[in-house]
Amino acid sequence: MHLLGREIRAVKIARDDTRTPLIEIADWEFQWQDTYFPLDPPLVGPGDRVRIEGVYDNSPNNRNNPNSPPRAVSYGERTVDEMCLVIVFATARILAAP
């Protein structure tokens, strides 16, 4: 997320609808763009999903808003554009033969 981003979260949703937070930043700052790894990575099985949510503030109340007055913003790579990007790394779990 860029300057308009306020919150970002990723949640694993298991087949039984159990939700496991992967990452949650409730007061996002632009300079926090980085790579984050969970200390205890969850197992993700068949039928599980990962949901990504981003919240933006394009109002004059956002001190980081580069546009005065606020204007429509779309996806883009520039800092004054916006995006919500979470890359999820996964590896296969190999079970030993009996």
Side-chain angles (χ1 to χ4, degrees), residues 10-14 18-22 42-44 48-51:
V11 177
K12 177 191 123 176
I13 305 172
T18 302
R19 295 169 185 260
T20 305
L22 302 176
L43 292 176
V44 178
D48 293 349
R49 299 169 289 151
V50 175
R51 179 181 174 103

Side-chain angles (χ1 to χ4, degrees), residues 28 32 62-63 66 68 94-95:
W28 174 258
W32 293 348
N62 179 356
R63 62 180 168 77
S68 182
I94 307 298
L95 301 176

